[in-house]
Amino acid sequence: GTARKERAPMHGSSDERTRTGMSPESLKRAFVDSMFYVQARYWEVATPHDLYMAAAYTVRDRMLERWIRTAETYRKADARTVCYLSAEYLLGPQLGNNLINLGIVDSARQGARDLGIDLQEILDQEPEPGLGNGGLGRLAACYLDSLATLSIPAIGYGIRYEHGIFDQKIVDGWQVEDCDLWLTNGNPWEIPRPLLRYPVRFGGHTEPYTDEHGRFRVRWVPELDLYGMAYDTPVLGFGNDNTNLLRLWHATAGRSFDLQAFHKGDYYGAVNAKVGAENITKVLYPNDEPEVGKELRLKQQYFFVSCSLQDMVRVHLQHAPNLEGFHERFAAQLNDTHPSIAVAELMRLCLDEHGMDWERAWEITRRTFAYTNHTLLPEALETWPVELFGRLLPRHLEIIYEINARFLDELRMRYPFDPERVARMSLIEEGPVRRVRMAHLATVGSFAVNGVAAIHSELVKSTVLRDFHELWPEKFHNITNGVTPRRFIQLSNPDLCGIITDLAGPGWARDAENLRTLEPHADDAAFQQRWQAMKRAAKERLAARIREATGAVVDPQSLFDIQVKRIHEYKRQHLNLLHIVALYHRIKQGTDSDPTPRTFVFGGKAAPGYFMAKLIIKLIHSVAEVINRDPEVNQRLRVVFVPNFNVKNAECIYPAADLSEQISTAGKEASGTGNMKFSMNGALTIGTLDGANVEIRDAVGHENFFLFGLTVAEVERTLAEGYRPWEYYRSHDELREVIDLLRSGLFSHGDPDLFRPLTDSLLQHDPYLLLADYPAYVEAQARAGDAFRDPAGWTRMSILNAARTGFFSSDRAIREYCRNIWQVEPMPVSLAAGNGSVP
Ligand code: GL9
C-alpha cells in the first residue's frame, strides 16, 4: 500500500528510544516491567525461568527497532536478497549472543547486579533451540550471524521443529534418547505470524487441460492440503544495525480436513488426519549423514520449501507484475540436497500457477538456485524411490521427468557415443527400485555448486559430480566453511576476548584477520603467562562442569585431549580409544615412556538407529570406568564422556582444549567446523589431511599441527590393493594387544562378546582404515605428549593457532559466497537516517 506508506507513523521515535534504552537503568526498568506486564509475575514469586523470560523480552524489545528498520530499508531499496534454505539451524542459546550483538553485555550485567541477580544464572536458564544435528545445522546458524553482520539482505528459511535434536542421557554407559522440549516453556525470541500462512498440498493426481488461450496445461488435484505458518526470529548483526529474518514454518491442518472429513460426520477420522498434518513439523530427524528414506522426511522437505518459495513469490510480486526477474531479486542457497525439491517447486509455481512457458521457467529456476554439497559418503547421498515421490508429489515427479528428458536429450547430443555416461548423469537411478537422485536435481537446477573445503571441493569434482564437472566446469566452486568468532570466541571465551581486545582493539570480532596482532607476542613471557592463565581458567570451568554432569574429577593441569562431534565410524572415536587403551596397557606393563598426564574428553550424540555408534559410546564409558578407578593409572589418565553435547556445552568445551582430535579417515569429512572452533581458541590439532584440517594446517604452520595418517590417495590405493586389516593386527604387537584387551572382557565385566561387533568389524573389514592409521596416530600422539611438557613451546604454538585462524571466520566464507556465487551487495541499515522524528 502506497497510501499507507505516506501516513506511516515513525516508530523508533525519541519516545521509542527512551523506552528501549540500553543503559543499565533503562534495562532494569524494562526488565521489571516485563516481569509484570509480560510474565505477569511479582518479584517474590518469580522463578529463575521467569527471570530469563523477562530478560529475554527486555532484550527482544531492543532488537525490534533494528529489525523493523532493516525490513523497511531492504524493501525500499528493492534489495537483492539471499534466501538460505536449510532444513536445520542449530542456533544455540540466543540471549547471550543477542546481548553481545546489541553491545549491552556490561549494561545488562550491571542492571542485573543492581537487582541482586547474577546474569550468568539467567543465561543458564535458556533451553537451546537444537534444530539441527551437527555441523551442517550449526554452519547455517553461523552463516545467519555473518550475513547480518556483513549487512547482507538475507532470509533464513527452515522448519520450526517442535522437538529438536534429542536430549542424550547416559544410562549404564549407554546412550538413551530423551525428547527435546525446547518449546514447552515458551520461546520468547519468535514472533508468530498467524496470518502469514501458505497452503501446501500432497498426493492426488494431475490432469491435463486447455487454458483460455488454448494452451496445454497441467492441473494438480491434490488429496490433502495443510498450511505452513510463519514464526519469525530476528537475527542481529554485530557492530552494525542490520537485523535479518529467520523464518521457520510450522504445519497446521488445512481446510480440507475441516470441510471434507468433519462434515462427512467422520469426526475421529478427521481428527486423525489433522494430527497427521500437524506431525510434519513435530520432530527433527536425528540422523547425521546416512539417510533413511522416510516418507515424513520428504514431506518435511517439500513442506518448508513450498512455504518458503511461496513467500518469496509473494514478496517479489509486491514489486513486480510477474515472475520475470525473480532470479534477480533472489539468490536461493540449497543447504545440501534437503531443500532440492525447490527446483521442481519453483518450476511448478512458474508453469502451473503463473502460466509461464517451460523455457522461461527453466531459465529463471536455474538462475535462482545454488547448491552446497556437504558430504561424499555414498550412504548419505539423498535419493527417493520414484514410487514414494509420485505418490506424495505427482506433479513434481512429472516435472522432474520433463527436466530429465530435456537434459538427457542434451547429453545424448553432446556425448553421442557414451550412453553409460548419460545413464550415470540421469536424474533417475534405474534399478530394481527406481529412485530420484536429489544431488543431480540440485546440480542441474542450479547456477553454482560448491564444496565446503578445498580438498572436499576437489573430491566433489572428481567423484560424486565428476560427469557434471566435465560438462559444466565453470559451475563448480569451493567455499571453505567458517564459524562465527562472536559466539565461538567472544561469547564462549571472555578471557581470550579480553586478551585479543587489549592487543587488537575491539574491531577484531568484525575482522578476524586482526587476530594476527597476537602473533608477535607468541614468545613474550608475560604474554604467555596471561595466555596460560586464560587456558587454565577455561579448563577449570570445564572441570567443574564435568564434575557436575558426571561426578568425575579431572585435573586442569593435565593435557585436555578432546574429541567432540557426532559419533560416527568415519570420525574414528574408536581410533582415539585404541590409543587410550595402549597408554593404559603401557602403564600396566611398566613400559610407558610418555609421562604427560592426560584427560581425554569425549562428547557427541549417536543416531538412535546407529548400532555401532552407540556401541562406541558404551566402549568410551567402559574404558573410562576401568581407567578412572585404577589407582595405578588414574594419576596419569582420565577419560570422561560429557553427556548431551550441544551448542551450550560446546561453548564451555572448545576454550578448554589443549589438543583437538580431528582424526577422520582422509576423504570422509567434508570440512569439519569444530576443528576451526578449537584452533581459534588456542588448541593444537592432531589430525589427518582431511576436510578443512588441510587448510588449518597450512594457515597455522605445519610445525604447529600434529599431522598423521594416510592421504586421500593412499587411502584409495590401500583399498584398491585389497586392504587386509588382519595383517596390521598380526604384525603390530601393541595394536594386537590393545584389540585383544578389548576382546578379553576387561572392559565389559568379563563379557568378551560385548564389543565384538566393533573388534570384528575392525579385523574383518575396517572400512575406515583404523588399523592402517594406528601406528602413525600413536606416534603423533607421542609427539603431542612430548610437546606438552614444554609449556613455553606449547603456549607459543597455541597462540599461533589462535592468531592465524582468522581465515576460518564465517564472515570470510560469507564474503566469498556474496562475491563468487550470490552477486549480492551489502545494504547497511541506519537507525538514525530520517527515522528519528515523531510524525
Ligand atoms: C557435514 C559434514 O560432514 C561436515 O564435514 C561439514 O563441516 C558440515 C558443514 O559443511 O556438513 N555434512 C553433514 O551431513 N553433516 C555435517 O556435519 N552432518 C551433520 O550435520 C550431522
Side-chain angles (χ1 to χ4, degrees), residues 88 133-137 139 287-289 336 338 372-375 380 452 481 566 570-571 668-673:
E88 303 191 4
N133 271 288
L136 177 147
L139 186 78
N287 317 291
D288 46 344
E289 278 89 353
D336 214 295
H338 315 148
T372 305
N373 173 285
H374 291 271
T375 179
V452 290
N481 283 167
R566 289 297 290 252
Y570 86 77
K571 295 174 189 281
K668 299 295 180 195
E669 189 70 271
S671 164
T673 44

Side-chain angles (χ1 to χ4, degrees), residues 9-56:
M10 288 296 179
H11 295 288
S13 61
S14 52
D15 281 0
E16 181 83 358
R17 291 285 162 69
T18 318
R19 204 177 66 73
T20 58
M22 308 284 191
S23 68
E25 259 324 297
S26 41
L27 285 175
K28 220 163 49 184
R29 211 171 335 119
F31 175 76
V32 171
D33 272 0
S34 295
M35 185 62 83
F36 190 93
Y37 290 110
V38 186
Q39 278 307 99
R41 287 273 192 234
Y42 60 95
W43 213 238
E44 285 71 16
V45 299
T47 63
H49 176 255
D50 290 323
L51 296 179
Y52 160 69
M53 292 296 272

